Amino acid sequence: MSNDNKSTSSTKTVFKYGEDDETIVDAVATTITSNADVDSSMYQDDEDEQTEVVAADKTSADYYFDSYSHFGIHEEMLKDVVRTKTYQNVIYKNTFLFKDKIVLDVGAGTGILSLFCAKAGAKHVYAVECSQMADMAKEIVKANGFSDVITVLKGKVEELELPVPKVDIIISEWMGYFLLYENMLDTVLYARDKWLVNDGIVLPDNASLHLTAIEDAEYKEDKIEFWNNVYGFDMSCIRKQSIMEPLVDTVDQNQIVTNCQLLKTMDISKMTSGDASFTAPFRLVAERDDYIHALVAYFDVAFTVCHKMTGFSTGPRSKNTHWKQTVLYLEEVLTICQGESITGSMTVAQNKKNPRDVDITLSYSLNGQRCVVSRTQQYKMR
């Protein structure tokens, strides 16, 4: 990873929604949480006990929606120019798709996509948001003069009814880390099957997951191997946990050792929910002699129904986004020579206890001049 990222490693995304809002926001807004940490230290013991009781009653789904109630996470997404400008361009440069159409915005957040659609001439937009941000979205819609065009509906898509039987377009920014983390895709597919007209449009309509391999000795030493010797004590039991948690971070393109391989393509307009769980083979060929410490996953999305196909990539060779890349550290350091290949397969599945989490099984082997290895590793995005 870059030195800039190392200096803020403590604020990297932690895949657990079993903490308070301050912890969740810490993953997306360091400056905000520095103040939140000060405030939290002022809580009284009885308040802490009360919080623990409330927390015990909450489900992982509650924490998921609560995390989107704070403006900090929306600020980060809105300031992601690659993300937001792509959606804006898709809508503004293809007004023929939206003119006089009924649009459903799934997971509307602040309502920015709904506002784009309304400005592009949509007949009506139904903005569905389950978090407390729905209340802010209503105010935003009113403040911008679109109350007669945009209706904000607060609740879960799976539990509410729209005022109309069908919609012409479903638009959503559903992608999570590693594309599938948080599993909002299932909600989009549910809405598609229930409300989209037969010749309707889903935006975006195509997504793909990719894989490559990197050299990352310094960061692996700092984040993983650190636990082997902590001030002279063996804490390697924590190392076993740390290596199972994929790291979301920005990868320097100069770290890439192999080619990039397409793992999975998803046609959002036709796929089923089960298609998001899959096993895909891969073959990564070394482009130089080097060491490999991790495999890196990233995704691309495309809007193919536009006048001119539009999309973006979250890969390390593209402009940075808030999704960054997903790094899966390997147990062993692989020594690879140019032209040699790492072969294997990746299995991706929803966690059985919490479908918003992702379980990843990585099987890989290298039969090279300087390194022979065959191994299977498990990863859990929480």
Side-chain angles (χ1 to χ4, degrees):
M1 307 308 163
S2 66
N3 289 330
D4 290 342
N5 290 321
K6 286 182 172 57
S7 65
T8 60
S9 61
S10 63
T11 64
K12 295 297 178 260
T13 303
V14 178
F15 296 106
K16 291 181 174 65
Y17 282 99
E19 308 292 340
D20 57 13
D21 287 345
E22 284 82 0
T23 301
I24 295 168
V25 176
D26 185 50
V28 295
T30 307
T31 55
I32 295 170
T33 51
S34 61
N35 293 329
D37 290 340
V38 174
D39 292 341
S40 64
S41 67
M42 300 170 67
Y43 291 162
Q44 300 299 315
D45 290 342
D46 58 342
E47 290 176 327
D48 289 338
E49 293 173 3
Q50 187 177 21
T51 300
E52 288 176 5
V53 172
V54 173
D57 292 335
K58 285 191 174 185
T59 66
S60 56
D62 292 326
Y63 284 113
Y64 168 71
F65 291 117
D66 282 352
S67 70
Y68 284 92
S69 296
H70 194 282
F71 68 85
I73 195 169
H74 296 279
E75 178 182 0
E76 184 193 33
M77 292 188 291
L78 291 169
K79 287 181 176 178
D80 183 339
V81 177
V82 173
R83 164 198 181 268
T84 309
K85 287 293 291 184
T86 298
Y87 276 89
Q88 185 184 49
N89 289 335
V90 164
I91 296 167
Y92 285 1
K93 294 183 179 181
N94 296 275
T95 55
F96 70 95
L97 293 174
F98 296 88
K99 182 67 173 176
D100 297 326
K101 294 296 196 302
I102 297 176
V103 181
L104 173 60
D105 181 0
V106 176
T110 59
I112 187 65
L113 302 187
S114 296
L115 292 167
F116 289 158
C117 292
K119 195 170 181 180
K123 181 179 180 180
H124 204 90
V125 183
Y126 295 98
V128 179
E129 174 58 40
C130 192
S131 77
Q132 297 299 321
M133 188 54 62
D135 298 326
M136 292 291 99
K138 291 177 182 178
E139 290 190 35
I140 292 168
V141 168
K142 183 178 180 181
N144 287 276
F146 286 106
S147 295
D148 58 336
V149 180
I150 301 173
T151 300
V152 178
L153 301 173
K154 186 177 182 180
K156 297 179 182 179
V157 166
E158 296 85 352
E159 296 176 0
L160 56 75
E161 290 296 331
L162 295 182
V164 293
K166 294 291 180 180
V167 299
D168 303 298
I169 298 172
I170 293 177
I171 192 165
S172 179
E173 192 278 84
W174 55 266
M175 299 79 71
Y177 299 123
F178 189 70
L179 182 62
L180 297 170
Y181 180 61
E182 296 181 338
N183 193 34
M184 190 176 163
L185 176 58
D186 266 5
T187 299
V188 174
L189 299 181
Y190 176 92
R192 180 201 67 187
D193 294 343
K194 185 171 183 178
W195 288 301
L196 191 65
V197 296
N198 290 335
D199 58 346
I201 296 171
V202 180
L203 296 170
D205 59 327
N206 186 276
S208 56
L209 189 65
H210 303 257
L211 191 69
T212 189
I214 63 168
E215 180 282 324
D216 199 18
E218 185 178 353
Y219 207 70
K220 186 186 179 190
E221 182 68 27
D222 180 57
K223 298 297 292 183
I224 307 296
E225 307 306 340
F226 161 79
W227 296 106
N228 290 327
N229 186 338
V230 182
Y231 297 98
F233 296 99
D234 181 351
M235 297 189 181
S236 57
C237 57
I238 298 180
R239 180 193 181 279
K240 295 176 183 178
Q241 293 294 317
S242 66
I243 203 166
M244 289 180 67
E245 291 190 8
L247 178 73
V248 173
D249 204 350
T250 301
V251 173
D252 187 328
Q253 63 177 321
N254 293 322
Q255 295 176 258
I256 298 174
V257 178
T258 69
N259 64 308
C260 299
Q261 165 135 15
L262 172 66
L263 282 179
K264 178 73 172 180
T265 299
M266 301 179 187
D267 183 342
I268 315 304
S269 62
K270 298 178 181 178
M271 69 178 290
T272 65
S273 175
D275 294 337
S277 295
F278 60 89
T279 297
F282 63 83
R283 181 172 180 265
L284 301 175
V285 182
E287 297 176 345
R288 63 173 186 262
D289 295 354
D290 211 330
Y291 300 102
I292 290 175
H293 300 88
L295 299 190
V296 173
Y298 64 92
F299 66 88
D300 299 348
V301 295
F303 302 78
T304 68
V305 297
C306 299
H307 178 67
K308 181 179 180 181
M309 191 175 78
T310 307
F312 61 83
S313 175
T314 64
R317 290 193 171 99
S318 300
K319 187 173 180 180
N320 291 343
T321 71
H322 78 281
W323 288 287
K324 304 176 185 177
Q325 292 87 41
T326 302
V327 183
L328 303 106
Y329 284 107
L330 305 181
E331 282 283 357
E332 301 178 45
V333 177
L334 308 185
T335 304
I336 197 166
C337 300
Q338 183 176 3
E340 293 179 348
S341 60
I342 304 170
T343 59
S345 65
M346 178 179 284
T347 298
V348 178
Q350 295 177 4
N351 180 261
K352 293 180 179 179
K353 291 184 178 180
N354 180 9
R356 295 196 182 279
D357 295 344
V358 179
D359 293 337
I360 303 168
T361 302
L362 180 67
S363 297
Y364 59 93
S365 61
L366 170 62
N367 188 12
Q369 298 176 32
R370 302 178 182 176
C371 183
V372 177
V373 65
S374 181
R375 181 183 283 272
T376 297
Q377 289 183 230
Q378 306 288 335
Y379 303 87
K380 300 179 184 300
M381 297 190 77
R382 300 287 183 267

